[in-house]
Amino acid sequence: MAHPLYTVAQLRAIEHAASSTLAPGTLMTRAGKAAAAHALELLRESLGDAPDAMRGAAVLVLAGPGNNGGDALEVAANLAEAGVNATVLHLPGDGNDDASSETAAAYERARSGTVGWLDMLPPDGQWALVVDGLFGIGLTRALAGEYREVVAGLDGMRCPILALDVPSGLDADTGAVIGPDGIAVRATHTITFIADKPGLHTADGRDHAGVVRVDTLGVDAGARPASAGMNGLPVFAHCFAARCQNSHKGSFGDVAVIGGAHGMAGAPVLAARGALYAGAGRVYVAALNTPPGYDSSQPEIMFRAADDLDFFGRTLVLGPGMGDSVDAIRLVAKALDSDSPLVLDADALNLVGASSDLQARLARRSAPAVLTPHPLEAARMLGLTVSVVQADRLASARELAQRMDAVVILKGSGTVIAGPDGAVLINPTGNAGLATAGSGDVLAGICGALLAQGWPGREAAAAAAWLHGAAADALVEDGVGPIGMTAGELPAAVRKVLNAQVRAAG
């Protein structure tokens, strides 16, 4: 079962139901204890376990006007009771008149202890940890005024920053920084309450949330269906299978990569290498331009002229380096009319996005189809701008999948996998090293290889995104990247990750 991700609206309903059975302030008290315990862990990691080091640790707690601020005040009180030098910068807005009774009680508790208090962020504060409790999931407009100044002032700090529930200024549903000229806390760690949120794992969320920990506060959110889930092994591990000794190259499917117009021969080769290393039995490049004789690095790849290749019985990867010629359009139409599993990438997506006829052909197919757009390609297909797509990546991927009746892999930080049934996954693997030319071609080839081996479309898309990212993570661990990582280094790393998972699956 996928790790569930809940929207703000769903969490409000869950929280309301739980609060109706608990004493007032129970959830805030639990949040304060959980976050304080996590803060102490972070302090021990950075300072060690020596009592003197912990007693001398200075922790800055930022407390805003709402219940998130109440959580922060509870954290400060708990840290002070643990012997930590906790100091609160309280920004209540127009005062405590509008604060909930629970937040008011937390304020009085913090005031009655040994917590220190500040009126402004000191320019030269030496903090061992900062706790962000300015705003939680309820924020709907960009941070402004003193809140913006405080968040901007955190950028120069070198200490860990722990966000409560969600980094202030980040949309918990979408992962976008709120507001056209918005700002958000860049936390190193986030402790999120009751259940996980999609915005912590996609778009700006991955840069702002840091390492995410979920504390349920004793609330069971599982009784309600989640709007999305985290991609991972539970989604597709059942498709892993060890290979029988009595097998042959025809047992694992044929992949044909169709592309390679003049001056763009590298893209289909990268896709073909991705397919080869992900286990396809035979891999072809069907080139629009005169194909090369062979790939000197991977002579196993076979080259054909696109017009001479029979599509029957092969999984087709359409688009890498394809261009927008009349021949390219004709080949896309031919592929869409076939009963072959398809992966549509790059130029094929642009051609489909520009043609209602091609879109209709795609929507009425019965064989699996997976689309792998980056945000600009998705925007073209949806008739939107890139900024609109990125403002709500989950909704954009879901809309595209439903409109095209296909599985969609919307690439980017926190890649989104969406099905035509509305189901959405966010992929947790990968790093900035994938932001390089050709990495998307490799992803398309991996997906094609899994389809060729008989995987269903949703599982093939989910596994391809996960393996692609996990390979990039493994390369970084080995000292390759993220800076300077190349797409050509990915296929072999994918093979290593894939075989390890097949062995683990038994």
Side-chain angles (χ1 to χ4, degrees):
M1 181 178 178
H3 173 84
L5 304 170
Y6 289 86
T7 65
V8 170
Q10 290 171 325
L11 287 164
R12 293 291 192 208
I14 294 167
E15 184 177 1
H16 178 75
S19 297
S20 66
T21 65
L22 299 170
T26 299
L27 293 180
M28 186 173 290
T29 299
R30 291 177 181 176
K33 289 181 178 178
H38 192 18
L40 290 171
E41 288 180 28
L42 296 176
L43 288 172
R44 292 188 189 100
E45 288 176 6
S46 59
L47 302 175
D49 291 325
D52 290 343
M54 291 293 288
R55 278 195 296 269
V59 176
L60 174 64
V61 179
L62 307 175
N67 285 344
N68 195 248
D71 295 341
L73 293 167
E74 286 285 346
V75 172
N78 285 318
L79 289 177
E81 288 177 0
V84 174
N85 178 16
T87 301
V88 171
L89 174 57
H90 192 211
L91 301 174
D94 295 330
N96 286 318
D97 294 341
D98 296 328
S100 67
S101 58
E102 292 88 351
T103 297
Y107 177 80
E108 293 302 325
R109 182 180 172 219
R111 271 294 185 186
S112 65
T114 60
V115 173
W117 297 84
L118 292 172
D119 294 324
M120 61 181 295
L121 186 68
D124 56 352
Q126 299 297 312
W127 308 105
L129 176 70
V130 174
V131 177
D132 164 34
L134 291 175
F135 293 96
I137 61 176
L139 187 67
T140 58
R141 60 179 182 269
L143 296 177
E146 59 184 346
Y147 301 112
R148 185 183 183 96
E149 292 175 5
V150 168
V151 171
L154 299 180
D155 283 346
M157 295 187 180
R158 301 298 180 188
C159 65
I161 297 177
L162 173 62
L164 305 183
D165 211 17
V166 61
S168 297
L170 187 76
D171 190 307
D173 285 344
T174 68
V177 174
I178 298 171
D181 187 32
I183 190 172
V185 169
R186 285 185 176 268
T188 58
H189 299 77
T190 296
I191 180 167
T192 197
F193 303 128
I194 300 180
D196 210 347
K197 290 86 176 167
L200 300 176
H201 303 284
T202 193
D204 298 314
R206 296 187 77 200
D207 288 313
H208 287 266
V211 179
V212 177
R213 173 183 292 189
V214 180
D215 194 294
T216 65
L217 307 184
V219 176
D220 181 14
R224 296 173 182 260
S227 66
M230 289 292 286
N231 187 31
L233 293 172
V235 177
F236 50 80
H238 62 279
C239 293
F240 288 132
R243 295 193 164 180
C244 297
Q245 299 291 349
N246 186 22
S247 58
H248 54 84
K249 61 188 177 184
S251 303
F252 309 114
D254 292 1
V255 173
V257 182
I258 303 168
H262 180 70
M264 296 183 286
V269 170
L270 285 168
R273 292 179 185 176
L276 186 68
Y277 279 82
R282 289 176 293 220
V283 180
Y284 299 82
V285 169
L288 277 76
N289 195 39
T290 302
Y294 70 103
D295 176 3
S296 59
S297 296
Q298 296 298 156
E300 303 87 351
I301 297 170
M302 294 170 278
F303 290 84
R304 300 286 189 274
D307 285 335
D308 296 338
L309 185 73
D310 184 3
F311 288 180
F312 179 78
R314 297 187 168 107
T315 295
L316 308 178
V317 177
L318 287 159
M322 177 175 262
D324 58 359
S325 67
V326 172
D327 285 341
I329 297 171
R330 179 177 50 78
L331 287 166
V332 170
K334 178 182 175 182
L336 293 174
D337 289 343
S338 74
D339 59 358
S340 299
L342 295 180
V343 179
L344 273 70
D345 184 44
D347 292 327
L349 294 170
N350 294 328
L351 294 174
V352 170
S355 169
S356 58
D357 173 64
L358 294 180
Q359 290 175 32
R361 293 176 191 234
L362 173 60
R364 63 174 176 255
R365 298 186 87 253
S366 58
V370 178
L371 281 57
T372 61
H374 56 54
L376 177 57
E377 291 160 347
R380 288 169 178 158
M381 298 188 79
L382 290 169
L384 303 173
T385 64
V386 173
S387 60
V388 171
V389 168
Q390 290 293 79
D392 194 337
R393 288 169 50 77
L394 278 74
S396 298
R398 185 181 283 119
E399 170 64 21
L400 186 57
Q402 291 173 340
R403 187 180 297 185
M404 301 298 171
D405 195 25
V407 178
V408 168
I409 303 175
L410 178 57
K411 295 178 288 195
S413 183
T415 288
V416 178
I417 302 101
D421 60 353
V424 173
L425 298 168
I426 297 178
N427 189 60
T429 62
N431 55 69
L434 292 173
T436 186
S439 69
D441 300 313
V442 175
L443 172 63
I446 298 166
C447 191
L450 298 180
L451 288 173
Q453 293 168 74
W455 287 46
R458 177 176 182 266
E459 284 84 351
W466 190 89
L467 290 166
H468 187 248
D473 292 339
L475 286 170
V476 169
E477 289 181 8
D478 290 341
V480 182
I483 298 171
M485 184 190 299
T486 65
E489 293 168 303
L490 290 169
V494 167
R495 177 178 62 187
K496 185 176 181 180
V497 174
L498 175 57
N499 278 287
Q501 294 304 323
V502 171
R503 288 192 295 269

